[in-house]
């Protein structure tokens, strides 16, 4: 089969090869034909080395498709079922799962170091234990989550990570209050989903902050009440909050400098929600006096901060009700050079569809 492969960390182009085989099929596992995949910023972070990932590897962890085969012992799934890919499945038995924090289950990470594919030249890993930039992939059965027939594959793929992460940050982690003020730093696919989550919660002001003009324009279409460049954030803070700071500020970039700006933009007693995935050597600093005196809540949010399966169901329900726009995330594309070229090549002549998040 064909797959797009990152041969070395730091390269900005993927190679599309046709001698790749999905491996590992057996008891408790399923083989999935990928019908749609999204490009999440985490894929780019793995490619450039911000997130640790052994090479060579197939990027992609936002995917949806149909079951081709099921291994022994698999129940609840059968060939032909339409599914989305869950890259962080819950085992149901670990302490985190038993506490109800299924998004903190580490069982899914245990497979991240096991190759998902092979070529004549050797093993190939799948990013986050998946690797959806391929025509087929073999994963544990609990990674395959059935989707209703009315949910298109492209939308299901985005729900598999970016949409769930962004909506959950607003609804689960920060629990944005109605009539509150919100600022979102970073308006890619996840940031746009944070904006939509804040709007669904009833926030009165939602300020989108991004250096890219097209992203700011998109943020307004998705529910931001205004959009500003980073250098205009201080003025927006003064105008909207009287200089006090926003009730909720979301950092969706994954850099300590942006997180520091977000902290300073949050009012005393407000909430800073850290959503961006950053590097292990990038240190966010807060001094002990301001930590005590300002009483700002600093809340990291991993994969939406709640039960993942419930979050999928909620995203679908909000989409069906017209409360969130997921088609817009599909149609608004951004050029990313060699990555787009590889995905376009993968798509050509096959049923695979790609969703490039902004």
């Amino acid at each position: 089969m064909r797959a797009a492969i990152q041969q070395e960390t730091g390269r900005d182009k993927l190679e599309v090869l046709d001698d790749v085989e999905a491996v590992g099929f057996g008891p408790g596992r399923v083989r999935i034909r990928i019908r749609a995949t999204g490009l999440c910023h985490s894929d780019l972070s793995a490619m450039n080395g911000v997130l640790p990932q052994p090479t060579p590897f197939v990027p992609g962890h936002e995917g949806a498709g149909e079951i081709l085969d099921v291994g022994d012992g698999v129940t609840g799934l059968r060939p032909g079922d339409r599914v989305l890919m869950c890259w962080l499945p819950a085992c149901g038995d670990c302490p985190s799962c038993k506490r109800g924090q299924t998004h903190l289950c580490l069982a899914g990470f245990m497979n991240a170091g096991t190759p998902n594919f092979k070529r004549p030249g050797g093993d190939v890993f799948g990013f986050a234990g998946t690797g959806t930039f391929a025509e087929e992939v073999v994963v544990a059965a609990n990674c395959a989550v059935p989707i209703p027939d009315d949910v298109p594959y492209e939308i299901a793929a985005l729900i598999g990570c970016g949409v769930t992460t962004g909506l959950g940050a607003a609804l689960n982690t920060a629990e944005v209050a109605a009539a509150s003020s919100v600022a979102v730093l970073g308006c890619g696919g996840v940031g746009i989903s944070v904006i939509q989550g804040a709007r669904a919660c009833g926030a009165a002001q939602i300020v989108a902050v991004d250096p890219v003009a097209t992203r700011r324009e998109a943020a307004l279409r998705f529910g931001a009440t205004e959009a500003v460049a980073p250098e205009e954030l201080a003025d927006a803070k003064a105008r909207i909050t009287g200089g006090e700071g926003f009730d909720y500020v979301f950092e969706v970039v994954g850099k300590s400098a942006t997180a520091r700006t977000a902290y300073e933009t949050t009012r005393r007693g407000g909430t800073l929600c850290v959503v961006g995935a950053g590097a292990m050597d990038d240190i966010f600093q807060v001094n002990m006096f301001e930590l005590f005196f300002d009483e700002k809540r600093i809340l990291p949010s991993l994969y939406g901060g709640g039960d993942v399966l419930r979050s999928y169901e909620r995203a679908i329900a909000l989409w069906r009700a017209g409360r969130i726009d997921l088609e817009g995330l599909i149609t608004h594309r951004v050029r990313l050079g060699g990555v787009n070229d590889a995905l376009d090549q993968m798509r050509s002549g096959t049923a695979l569809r790609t969703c490039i998040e902004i």
Side-chain angles (χ1 to χ4, degrees):
M1 68 171 186
R2 290 191 296 176
I5 295 179
Q6 173 86 349
Q7 297 285 11
E8 299 175 0
T9 301
R11 296 181 63 174
D12 61 357
K13 290 186 178 182
L14 302 173
E15 293 185 50
V16 177
L17 304 173
D18 60 5
D19 59 356
V20 184
E21 178 183 352
V23 299
F25 182 72
R29 299 179 72 77
V30 297
R31 184 185 301 275
I32 301 174
R33 169 71 173 183
I34 300 296
R35 294 299 187 185
T37 184
L39 173 63
C40 182
H41 196 274
S42 296
D43 298 307
L44 302 179
S45 295
M47 291 171 62
N48 63 29
V50 170
L51 297 180
Q53 171 63 47
T55 56
F57 73 96
V58 176
H61 59 291
E62 290 183 342
E66 59 183 327
I67 300 288
L68 295 178
D69 201 1
V70 300
D72 292 342
V74 174
T75 59
L77 294 170
R78 61 184 179 180
D81 283 353
R82 304 171 73 253
V83 297
L84 67 77
M85 186 86 68
C86 176
W87 61 272
L88 192 59
C91 71
D93 294 324
C94 71
S96 291
C97 286
K98 290 179 178 179
R99 283 192 294 263
Q101 296 176 303
T102 56
H103 64 293
L104 298 181
C105 177
L106 293 176
F109 284 109
M110 299 306 157
N111 295 322
T114 301
N116 294 59
F117 309 92
K118 71 176 181 180
R119 298 183 57 227
D123 292 331
V124 178
F125 297 90
F127 176 54
T130 57
T132 58
F133 291 4
E135 293 177 310
E136 295 181 13
V137 64
V138 173
V139 294
N142 60 352
C143 291
V145 180
I147 56 175
D149 290 340
D150 66 326
V151 180
Y153 284 125
E154 296 97 327
I155 285 179
L158 297 183
I159 289 174
C161 186
V163 169
T164 294
T165 298
L167 288 179
L171 276 68
N172 295 330
T173 307
E175 297 181 326
V176 172
S180 59
S181 61
V182 173
V184 180
L185 278 61
C187 298
V190 176
I192 290 293
S193 297
V194 172
I195 289 169
Q196 297 203 72
R199 182 180 63 175
C201 289
Q205 293 94 22
I206 305 174
V207 178
V209 185
D210 200 284
V212 181
T214 54
R215 290 186 175 184
R216 297 196 298 271
E217 294 168 4
L220 293 171
R221 294 197 300 272
F222 284 99
T225 54
E226 68 175 279
V228 301
E231 61 271 19
E232 300 170 321
L233 177 57
D235 176 68
K237 173 184 171 182
R239 286 188 293 103
I240 295 171
T241 74
E244 181 185 22
F246 293 88
D247 297 318
Y248 302 88
V249 181
F250 294 85
E251 197 282 345
V252 202
V253 179
K255 292 185 179 295
S256 61
T258 317
R260 183 65 212 186
T261 298
Y263 182 88
E264 293 169 356
T265 308
T266 306
R267 67 166 173 81
R268 294 186 67 214
T271 297
L272 162 60
C273 186
V274 180
V275 188
M280 289 187 289
D281 59 353
D282 189 7
I283 309 301
F284 169 55
Q285 292 186 325
V286 180
N287 72 56
M288 291 302 295
F289 177 78
E290 63 186 347
L291 185 64
F292 157 78
F293 187 70
D294 290 337
E295 203 180 82
K296 299 179 183 182
R297 296 193 305 161
I298 303 175
L299 302 178
S301 184
L302 173 64
Y303 206 3
D307 179 79
V308 175
L309 299 183
R310 176 68 189 101
S311 293
Y312 294 162
E313 294 173 355
R314 182 176 56 196
I316 292 171
L318 289 171
W319 167 72
R320 281 174 173 161
R323 300 288 301 279
I324 60 174
D325 175 12
L326 301 186
E327 287 87 352
L329 284 174
I330 298 170
T331 58
H332 192 100
R333 297 186 64 186
V334 62
R335 295 302 300 175
L336 290 170
V339 179
N340 286 78
D341 295 339
L343 290 174
D344 287 343
Q345 186 178 344
M346 283 285 298
R347 184 174 55 183
S348 177
T350 73
L352 177 67
R353 298 189 286 273
T354 55
C355 320
I356 311 297
E357 293 189 39
I358 58 175

